[in-house]
Amino acid sequence: MISAQQLLKTEIEKALVALYAIHSNTTALQKTRKEFEGDFTLVTFPYTKDTKKSPETIGQELGAYLVSQHKDIAAFNVVKGFLNISLSEAFWLQYFHSVATSPAPGFKPANSSGRTIMLEYSSPNTNKPLHLGHIRNNLLGYSVSEILKANGHAVIKTNLVNDRGIHICKSMLAWKKFGNGETPQSSGMKGDHLVGKYYVAFDKAYKAEMEVLISQGISKEEAEKKAPLMLECQEMLRQWEAGVPEVVQLWKTMNQWVYDGFAITYKNLGVDFDKMYYESNTYTLGKEMVNEGLSKGVFYKKENGSVAIDLSKEGLDEKIVLRSDGTSVYITQDLGTAIERFKEFPKLNQLIYTVGNEQDYHFKVLFKILEKLGYDWAKECYHLSYGMVELPEGKMKSREGTVVDADDLIREMSQTAEATTKELGKVEGFSEQELHELYHTVSMGALKYFILKVDPKKKMLFDPKESIDFNGHTGPFIQYTHARIRSVLRKADHGHHAVEESIAINALEKELIKTVYDFSAVLEEAAQSYSPALVANHLYELTKLYNRFYHEYSILKEENNTIRMFRLQLSELCANTLKSGMGLLGIAVPDRM
């Protein structure tokens, strides 16, 4: 059926021609604010110049004309220069019937947009386990991918693993010196945690060496460079790049420990990837691009032999793209990787990088260089920048071992969910296995919703206890409401029975239908702004509204069978919207709680 906005735009444009001979195809409608009566609002100020009339008069004349001309435009009111328009109950019922049994209201058909988007997220280092900051990255990247899919785009979810470099060698060297052959099997530790342990051990021993050097009168800067461990680490990196078998084998072994550990964390978080990239395979790709850029005059050689680009005219600085010894820097690798991806996927329309806002400048430089190299698709590259996650205690530091490990947080969240669920007496009739699954579902719902309900651009404070509240602005509140609706439907033995086309509905029922209707626009806006927070907060509004409806009106005990069937079907529509919407956030909603 035609959308409410399209119906109103068409009728308003007809009215402007009929009343004032104004031809306009740029009619802008917005949702009517909650404190006013109406469904959609038209601002009438833009028409004062052509009509020589006041905004209020234009509103009154347009409103009266619209109501007289179309049966689905039921009423209007004018507040200063704002025309608030109400659609008929019949219109909203027609929409309700068109989506009543849809499992995913508001979703567009798969791959219907014709656009293919690659979205990179996670991008961990293989020298430590995933932590709270990685959790926000993974949840945001996964959710944006699902939201883009719901808008009809084809999405390729990728992960570029940072598996080489000096920081990787730090863990390797520390294990070689202090590990005594320890393995995940012998220690009982997850592989990523074991490798992270040696990253911290390196830092501790390195600082101790620096203190000795500083006590001998060497400056801190010199001590950082001359500490024996750092010199050994740099030599190990050179050996790795030279392909020394013993070093390469140790690198492969320890990286595999980490990959095995990551796989468990990813599974528990419920995120996945379509394609994995590894920096060890991509870090040399950009060198060829640098030579190409030199020949085009995009880059230039400096006196010390390094290669750079001057971006001062673009409001940026000079950027080195190749060191004087011929080795690449991070941006060199990113240039090569981006170009290879568009070669590998020739139908790719957009490339999105999910990376924290501390890298904002890096991506401005990257995209500008790609543009100067002549790649038209550079304008389709986007940095999905997000704020850091902090705890009440402050920032986290990996090398000092003060991070909140993702695995520890997931375990603690599950324990909190178990305690809260038992305290509320919601464990009757479940087997041990069902309870275990329920605790995990609730805990992940709490964690994911708490993080994703915040605008990605904002820095956030994570409070595990606050996130699990069955009555607050939380995932468990929405999960519990979904379970409540499914319980009602089970008790009613509700099937897909047809509801009469014409039925009187109350204001709350109409508001529920409108809120489900609005979900389609929310999905579009969430995709355009890459913000799962819009979806999360809309689902919360729908949940609050349904709970009001549930408490104020009888469903199972309603004596009028027509009304009873309508309310059951409306309940099912709300449940389907909650389930599909929460799915976009990576959150499962139980049928029983």
Side-chain angles (χ1 to χ4, degrees), residues 52-278:
K52 304 293 189 288
K53 295 185 177 184
S54 70
E56 293 87 345
T57 301
I58 297 168
Q60 291 290 344
E61 291 177 353
L62 275 175
Y65 186 88
L66 291 168
V67 169
S68 70
Q69 292 296 308
H70 202 289
K71 62 181 177 60
D72 282 331
I73 301 176
F76 75 95
N77 66 83
V78 179
V79 180
K80 296 182 179 178
F82 300 91
L83 169 60
N84 302 317
I85 306 167
S86 297
L87 291 167
S88 67
E89 284 187 7
F91 175 87
W92 293 115
L93 275 171
Q94 185 185 2
Y95 166 73
F96 167 76
H97 289 301
S98 72
V99 297
T101 58
S102 170
F107 282 40
K108 292 183 173 63
N111 304 328
S112 59
S113 74
R115 283 177 61 79
T116 299
I117 300 170
M118 178 178 285
L119 198 148
E120 176 188 300
Y121 61 96
S122 197
S123 305
N125 297 331
T126 57
N127 63 328
K128 56 191 176 185
L130 302 177
H131 56 61
L132 180 55
H134 290 118
I135 287 180
R136 188 175 201 188
N137 183 299
N138 279 276
L139 299 184
L140 177 60
Y142 178 86
S143 182
V144 170
S145 297
E146 295 304 306
I147 289 168
L148 291 171
K149 285 182 191 176
N151 279 271
H153 306 310
V155 178
I156 305 166
K157 295 182 283 188
T158 64
N159 185 355
L160 174 60
V161 182
N162 188 350
D163 65 341
R164 61 163 288 279
I166 195 73
H167 51 295
I168 308 299
C169 289
K170 288 177 181 179
S171 294
M172 291 165 58
L173 182 62
W175 180 88
K176 191 175 179 182
K177 282 183 168 295
F178 317 129
N180 297 314
E182 187 177 30
T183 67
Q185 290 73 27
S186 68
S187 66
M189 293 178 72
K190 269 177 89 245
D192 50 338
H193 285 263
L194 180 63
V195 173
K197 168 185 167 182
Y198 287 100
Y199 182 60
V200 174
F202 175 92
D203 190 65
K204 186 177 179 181
Y206 173 50
K207 283 180 177 175
E209 288 185 349
M210 283 175 53
E211 286 177 12
V212 171
L213 292 173
I214 292 169
S215 70
Q216 295 171 355
I218 297 175
S219 70
K220 182 182 178 184
E221 291 73 21
E222 280 294 299
E224 286 175 351
K225 296 174 185 175
K226 292 184 176 180
L229 271 174
M230 182 55 71
L231 295 175
E232 282 189 76
C233 200
Q234 290 168 345
E235 176 58 27
M236 179 176 271
L237 179 58
R238 281 190 287 272
Q239 289 178 355
W240 179 86
E241 290 184 352
V244 174
E246 179 191 348
V247 175
V248 171
Q249 186 55 52
L250 176 61
W251 170 77
K252 286 181 178 178
T253 298
M254 293 184 71
N255 270 355
Q256 191 57 54
W257 292 347
V258 175
Y259 298 146
D260 292 343
F262 282 174
I264 295 169
T265 309
Y266 287 142
K267 183 179 179 182
N268 285 331
L269 276 177
V271 301
D272 57 14
F273 308 94
D274 300 310
K275 185 169 179 61
M276 301 291 289
Y277 291 92
Y278 298 91

Side-chain angles (χ1 to χ4, degrees), residues 406-437:
D407 298 310
D408 293 341
L409 182 59
I410 290 169
R411 184 169 54 254
E412 288 170 16
M413 290 291 292
S414 187
Q415 290 168 353
T416 305
E418 178 177 356
T420 305
T421 307
K422 285 179 176 177
E423 186 180 323
L424 294 172
K426 301 181 185 296
V427 296
E428 292 181 14
F430 288 86
S431 68
E432 280 300 315
Q433 179 61 29
E434 288 171 334
L435 281 175
H436 177 75
E437 291 172 3

Side-chain angles (χ1 to χ4, degrees), residues 434-574:
E434 288 171 334
L435 281 175
H436 177 75
E437 291 172 3
L438 178 63
Y439 300 147
H440 180 73
T441 299
V442 172
S443 64
M444 286 299 93
L447 173 65
K448 293 179 181 184
Y449 189 87
F450 196 88
I451 286 177
L452 292 173
K453 73 177 180 181
V454 178
D455 185 300
K457 293 181 176 62
K458 293 182 180 178
K459 181 174 72 175
M460 68 170 295
L461 192 70
F462 180 72
D463 185 340
K465 291 180 181 177
E466 186 184 333
S467 70
I468 299 184
D469 181 349
F470 284 80
N471 296 304
H473 184 184
T474 64
F477 174 57
I478 298 173
Q479 289 173 315
Y480 181 65
T481 299
H482 176 269
R484 164 178 275 170
I485 298 173
R486 292 299 178 196
S487 175
V488 169
L489 297 175
R490 281 194 302 273
K491 289 175 183 175
D493 191 23
H494 174 58
H496 294 296
H497 303 295
V499 174
E500 290 183 18
E501 290 292 327
S502 179
I503 180 176
I505 59 175
N506 61 51
L508 206 46
E509 290 165 341
K510 179 183 173 184
E511 197 60 34
L512 277 171
I513 295 171
K514 284 170 56 180
T515 305
V516 172
Y517 174 86
D518 289 340
F519 190 48
S520 179
V522 169
L523 282 182
E524 289 183 13
E525 189 180 350
Q528 290 164 5
S529 60
Y530 312 102
S531 176
L534 297 174
V535 172
N537 287 289
H538 188 81
L539 294 175
Y540 175 61
E541 292 303 319
L542 176 61
T543 302
K544 284 196 300 182
L545 199 60
Y546 183 84
N547 278 291
R548 265 187 61 202
F549 166 70
Y550 177 85
H551 288 297
E552 291 182 22
Y553 293 96
S554 177
I555 301 175
L556 293 175
K557 293 182 181 178
E558 171 58 50
E559 294 180 358
N560 183 313
N561 192 56
T562 299
I563 295 175
R564 181 176 182 272
M565 288 307 305
F566 165 72
R567 289 178 181 169
L568 286 169
Q569 206 161 62
L570 178 60
S571 296
E572 183 173 34
L573 176 61
C574 291

